Amino acid sequence: MKCVNCSGEAQQISSQLYGIEIKCPICGHFGVSASVLRQRLGRPFEVEKARVFLHNELDINPGRLPVINSENVIWASPD
């Protein structure tokens, strides 16, 4: 599968999360809520800002899966 953030090759992990759990060699191991997936419909994330958010969340809460949800999603600006 493709990473929902960077579009690189990634692996979808079986999860209890209401959404999807992804393991990407570039963005890391993270989740995306079902509500964000529904809102997305081809809208891209702001890749670098989302990646920084994910890595910061891991630093703040080690051992806890960072999840992109409707409260913290960073959409890319339309061109």
Side-chain angles (χ1 to χ4, degrees):
M1 86 166 282
K2 299 288 184 189
C3 175
V4 296
N5 186 46
C6 72
S7 298
E9 284 300 316
Q11 178 183 12
Q12 185 170 343
I13 307 293
S14 178
S15 176
Q16 298 297 318
L17 179 70
Y18 184 59
I20 59 172
E21 191 171 326
I22 297 168
K23 198 172 228 180
C24 172
I26 299 168
C27 300
H29 184 186
F30 66 99
V32 180
S33 72
S35 62
V36 168
L37 292 173
R38 283 191 303 273
Q39 293 171 20
R40 190 162 185 244
L41 300 172
R43 291 168 60 191
F45 296 144
E46 183 65 50
V47 176
E48 274 308 310
K49 289 180 181 179
R51 193 175 296 139
V52 167
F53 164 78
L54 294 168
H55 289 288
N56 286 343
E57 282 296 301
L58 279 175
D59 287 343
I60 293 167
N61 299 300
R64 197 165 119 197
L65 180 71
V67 176
I68 297 173
N69 60 40
S70 56
E71 294 177 10
N72 60 35
V73 66
I74 305 167
W75 300 111
S77 300
D79 293 333

